[in-house]
Amino acid sequence: MEFIDTHQHLILRDRLGYGWTAQIPALATGDFGLADYHALVAGRGITGTVFMETGVDDADYRAEARLVAGLIGAGGMLGQIASCRPGEAGFAGWMDEAAGLGTVGFRRILHVVPDDVSQTAAFRADLRAIGRAGLSFDMCFLARQLGLARDLARACDDQVLVLDHCGVPDIAGGAFDTWAAGITALADLPHVVCKLSGITAYCAPGTATVALLRQWVDHVLASFGPDRVLWGGDWPVVNLGSGLPGWIDMSRELLAGLSEAERFAVAQGTARRVYRLG
């Protein structure tokens, strides 16, 4: 099983600001660059990557995309999901520029802004512009916000939307039922797909195992179906859970019961379709 990693972050502190890492000791210092990533995945079946915007400081989000554009094509990087600010001045101009930067989709992290940001008419109008351009939008919501995600998806029903990190379930707290209901409701919308990523970081420290994750992953697969699930590594944030090599190994085990075609869909087929990777 060879994976396309659709959620590859980089932290390059000498060029960009990452204020969000300051309170996370494992990520607060040092760089996390391409050489580090490739050393971790060597021989582990990563056949390509898609860079995911890393939540840089607001002043730097365009600089990040411009910097990453120069890395695409090297070391298996197939494209980037660039940060954007739907509903804010200058959005259309940024979309036009980003089209020339190897952009295969956009994201705005929505759990770090007020809940009503994604509910405004201006935000949704700009989101639909992304869809008209044939690009996907990655939705980053917490489990408590899955209703907001569904409202947004219903308002933008003619484009592909990707729910990152399985909707950020509270695995450590065992809060399965409410999260599962939200996932089921979102999966009823055929233009929404789910990214299998990040979830080991939501386990209590040192507890992430295949046995613990099984019911959460199985619910995602049963709700969306493998053709609407894609895989991501979420490095280096995954270091807060299993680490990237551990997550790759767990993913193989968690997907082992699927058919060959279904495993291919999750590992890379859905990603190729959603992000137009060929």
Side-chain angles (χ1 to χ4, degrees), residues 40-96:
L40 287 171
V41 302
R44 293 186 175 272
I46 301 298
T47 191
T49 67
V50 176
F51 174 81
M52 170 59 75
E53 63 95 7
T54 311
V56 295
D57 298 346
D58 277 350
D60 288 342
Y61 79 88
R62 298 187 185 200
E64 178 187 52
R66 293 166 185 149
L67 173 63
V68 170
L71 304 176
I72 293 171
M77 189 182 291
L78 305 172
Q80 70 168 313
I81 299 164
S83 185
C84 67
R85 300 293 184 272
E88 296 185 9
F91 174 81
W94 175 234
M95 263 197 69
D96 290 343

Side-chain angles (χ1 to χ4, degrees), residues 83-188:
S83 185
C84 67
R85 300 293 184 272
E88 296 185 9
F91 174 81
W94 175 234
M95 263 197 69
D96 290 343
E97 179 183 348
L101 300 177
T103 299
V104 299
F106 286 97
R107 182 171 82 153
R108 174 71 164 117
I109 301 176
L110 292 168
H111 63 70
V112 298
V113 297
D115 284 357
D116 61 359
V117 166
S118 67
Q119 310 300 292
T120 67
F123 186 100
R124 293 174 176 192
D126 285 344
L127 198 60
R128 287 190 285 267
I130 292 173
R132 287 194 299 274
L135 298 175
S136 59
F137 180 78
D138 273 58
M139 303 189 296
C140 201
F141 285 104
L142 302 175
R144 68 165 183 84
Q145 298 173 307
L146 290 178
L148 298 176
R150 191 170 192 273
D151 288 345
L152 180 62
R154 291 180 67 185
C156 302
D157 60 359
D158 58 352
Q159 62 195 99
V160 178
L161 302 172
V162 182
L163 179 68
D164 285 356
H165 307 323
C166 300
V168 192
D170 179 9
I171 299 175
F176 181 82
D177 291 344
T178 301
W179 166 83
I183 289 293
T184 298
L186 264 175
D188 284 343

